[in-house]
Amino acid sequence: MSEMPRVVVLAGGVGGSKFVLGVRGALRARGWDEDTTSVLTVVVNTGDDLWLSGVRLQPDVDSVTYALAGVNDSGRGWGRQGDTERVNHELQAWGSGWPWFTLGDLDLGTHLARTGWLRDGLTPTAVLERMSHRWDLGARLLPMTDSEVDTMVELEDGGRLHFQEWWTRHRATLAPARFHNPGIDRATPAPGVLDAIAAADAVLVAPSNPVVSIGPILAVPGMREALAAASARVVGVSPIIGGKVVRGMADVCLTAIGVETSAAAVAAHYGSRDAGGLLDAWLIAQEDEAAAAEVAGLGIRPLVTPLWMTDAAHSTALAETALGAAGV
Ligand code: GDP
Ligand code: CA
């Protein structure tokens, strides 16, 4: 068997984890019998993280972990399969936490374990490494940074709230003026991130929310420079299909930063690597074929391919196309 490519994926939660599953599937389908953990690194958004009821939540990290472990609740889209809410009811009876934010019992086990290790002095990177051993994930997961840089939403009416409150409680209905990650200017990429990018044969940008999932990853100082300097090609997958977000409310986030909800506009937002931006190539859906010329005009190679990750086979096929676009 020839050398396996070393792959780095930048990912958020649900869209990110479906794509990462596909990348692992594509690498495994190449007939490699070794563990893909040594070649597949996932840099996960930690902007969604928060403290609640005394525990540290990492929603995107957990989505990717649970999906790779095969223990995620794919119907609901978050949390653990078959979870119960006994502790959640008790927390609500105490008036602890947020009444509109459910913490499943199994999920709380994760948060307690993580918080305990953080309290013991482990870094988020070390905690995630430890948590990765429980299951055969087939990937090395790295937080984008070890610093706490939770995403805040500034509203047009002057209000300010944590991203999770805006997203989950208000379903993104309060008009946002700006998203930002306090403290990110002083943050650095987590240990291992820059080395993984430098050593990669392919860098893939998952079809995650460009503003609040990929945005915070790119905002960590040093990240953009590392991606610009990478010898690997950087290939992105559009989260927009037929001018619409597949699920979620990413369109509200895009509108807030002045980007149209279209495959071409998101490509323009990321920019061409030749012109100091992120992308060498951009995968767009057949529904958006008309955008190919515009993407090419940006100096980004467009590739028209099915983007619906409806099951593992579709995710794997999409990931294989992305690897091909990266030339590996
Ligand atoms: P979150 O952190 O859980 O919100 O998830 P992500 O940021 O990783 O992904 C959210 C984005 O995934 C949304 O903007 C969706 O448009 C996109 N998405 C979800 N399912 C699919 C899919 O099957 N194909 C593509 N191309 N994008 C998807
Ligand atoms: Ca997320």
Side-chain angles (χ1 to χ4, degrees), residues 4 32 171 221 238 252:
M4 285 305 277
W32 208 44
R171 310 299 302 162
S238 174
V252 181

Side-chain angles (χ1 to χ4, degrees), residues 22 26 305 312-322:
T305 193
H314 284 88
S315 297
T316 298
L318 172 58
E320 185 52 50
T321 305

